[in-house]
Amino acid sequence: MSNGNESSPMLYDVLGSATAGIISRVFTHPLDTAKARLQAPTVSGPQSSSSVGSFRGPLDAIVKTYRYEGFRALYGGFGAVIVGGTPGTVLYLAGYAYFRDSMTSFVKRWSGEKYDNSSVLSNGQEFVVHFSSGMLAETVTCIIYVPVDVVKERMQVQQAMKSSTSANVNQSAAINYQYKNSWDALQKIVKSEGLRGIYKGYGATLASFGPFSALYFVFYEKCKAISRDFIQQQNQNANEGKENTGVITDGDLPLLHLVACSSGAGALASFLTSPLDMAKLRLQVQRGKSASSLKSSGDPILGRGVQYRGMVDCLRAAYAEGGVQGLFRGAGARVLHFAPATTITMTCYEKCKSFYADAL
């Protein structure tokens, strides 16, 4: 069986991943906002009825956020995601392809096999290569993703507060935000926490997204291998008695197969790593509260003084609050975000990469 991962010029990987990242973010950012608000600690106090604690699920979070805070709130942090996230997506996907191909070559040579497209790895070797490549790609990409993630989630989670200006204020009173936009958020975070402070979440982010990326690519590559074998067998049956139809590459897979592979892998990996993502988000938001509380005790990001000492402590606290269900709070929204996000991203990536290879 061929692994179907032909080495392609880096330019095609870069163009394909950039296009895929932008398209995916446009369609799935509101779901990411819902996920962030569901996972944030429960807000108490005289907040509006759109407070985090009042959300019953992903759809309810989206509806209430739009109703009380408007369309802008659903795309909180979107500027940071596009400006910083697009290069991050390029580095992530192109980096994974580079690590995968390099490690595949190394493993085959280490095993004493001649490296060519016809030789295959064992199941154990494939797992190690894809898992390690996913972790390495995430490790490098987090250099860009961590500042983007901090800004994005602070923008998403910040609570809107109605301003009472006079006795004759209508129901659509203005909403005051701590951060006006992504650039304002970045400036304020750096000013209050320092440049090093914005990378304090590197370990937590890597601990969350690292396992997700590793598991995602293990599942995704396995699903693609099964699809390639299925298509290959169909072709052989259709051309019985004729010469072999050749190797099926990732770009040759039908759109429906790519959608099934990417969505299934994204849903499973995002669900399994949801507790880690929840802990990461709470730690990042807590740092924002700690920094701003030095200036004001009325910071609207968090409504209580919970202090987590690390990811393990955060997971313990979440379990104490709601058991296993508490650990997986927001898991549904995470799956609803990552399943379509990974589907759009990876499907566009595979198809755009093939398109650019043919067009250029």
Side-chain angles (χ1 to χ4, degrees), residues 181-194:
N181 50 52
S182 297
W183 176 243
D184 180 60
L186 179 61
Q187 288 181 306
K188 288 182 177 178
I189 293 169
V190 171
K191 183 177 181 180
S192 62
E193 303 173 49

Side-chain angles (χ1 to χ4, degrees), residues 49-342:
S49 59
S50 65
S51 66
V52 174
S54 67
F55 297 141
R56 296 189 299 271
L59 181 59
D60 185 53
I62 291 175
V63 170
K64 285 185 176 179
T65 298
Y66 175 76
R67 179 184 301 166
Y68 292 102
E69 302 175 49
F71 184 77
R72 167 191 170 186
L74 290 175
Y75 279 87
F78 187 71
V81 169
I82 291 297
V83 174
T86 300
T89 302
V90 172
L91 184 60
Y92 178 61
L93 294 176
Y96 170 75
Y98 171 79
F99 288 127
R100 180 198 61 201
D101 294 343
S102 298
M103 291 187 68
T104 298
S105 176
F106 173 79
V107 169
K108 288 181 177 180
R109 286 175 179 144
W110 180 77
S111 301
E113 299 180 27
K114 182 181 178 182
Y115 178 61
D116 56 47
N117 286 333
S118 62
S119 57
V120 297
L121 301 178
S122 66
N123 288 333
Q125 289 173 331
E126 284 185 345
F127 177 86
V128 171
V129 167
H130 298 150
F131 190 93
S132 301
S133 297
M135 281 294 297
L136 286 171
E138 192 66 52
T139 300
V140 174
T141 309
C142 274
I143 296 173
I144 295 177
Y145 272 159
V146 168
V148 171
D149 210 38
V150 169
V151 171
K152 172 179 70 74
E153 291 185 338
R154 298 274 184 93
M155 290 288 294
Q156 289 173 327
V157 173
Q158 68 177 350
Q159 295 301 304
M161 301 179 69
K162 302 242 179 161
S163 61
S164 53
T165 55
S166 65
N168 297 323
V169 180
N170 58 29
Q171 291 182 343
S172 59
I175 295 175
N176 296 323
Y177 290 89
Q178 181 185 10
Y179 307 124
K180 292 179 288 187
N181 50 52
S182 297
W183 176 243
D184 180 60
L186 179 61
Q187 288 181 306
K188 288 182 177 178
I189 293 169
V190 171
K191 183 177 181 180
S192 62
E193 303 173 49
L195 186 60
R196 293 179 59 186
I198 206 168
Y199 276 102
K200 286 181 180 178
Y202 182 90
T205 301
L206 184 60
S208 169
F209 283 107
F212 166 79
S213 295
L215 290 174
Y216 174 79
F217 282 114
V218 167
F219 299 147
Y220 181 60
E221 297 286 4
K222 190 64 178 178
C223 288
K224 287 195 300 181
I226 294 173
S227 294
R228 287 194 299 269
D229 286 347
F230 177 77
I231 298 297
Q232 190 78 37
Q233 187 61 49
Q234 278 192 326
N235 291 344
Q236 289 178 354
N237 293 338
N239 297 278
E240 189 173 355
K242 296 182 181 180
E243 189 176 349
N244 195 308
T245 55
V247 175
I248 302 295
T249 65
D250 292 345
D252 296 327
L253 290 175
L255 180 62
L256 183 60
H257 285 244
L258 287 175
V259 168
C261 291
S262 54
S263 61
L268 186 55
S270 60
F271 179 80
L272 292 175
T273 58
S274 184
L276 298 175
D277 183 64
M278 176 271 300
K280 180 264 302 179
L281 182 144
R282 291 191 177 190
L283 287 170
Q284 285 182 337
V285 175
Q286 173 181 276
R287 275 187 290 275
K289 178 183 184 300
S290 299
S292 62
S293 62
L294 297 175
K295 299 179 181 179
S296 169
S297 60
D299 175 71
I301 287 187
L302 293 177
R304 56 183 185 171
V306 177
Q307 291 294 315
Y308 304 114
R309 295 184 296 272
M311 288 201 70
V312 174
D313 183 55
C314 187
L315 291 170
R316 286 174 178 169
Y319 182 78
E321 289 174 5
V324 175
Q325 187 176 359
L327 288 174
F328 284 89
R329 179 182 175 89
R334 179 170 163 83
V335 171
L336 285 176
H337 167 248
F338 273 99
T342 53

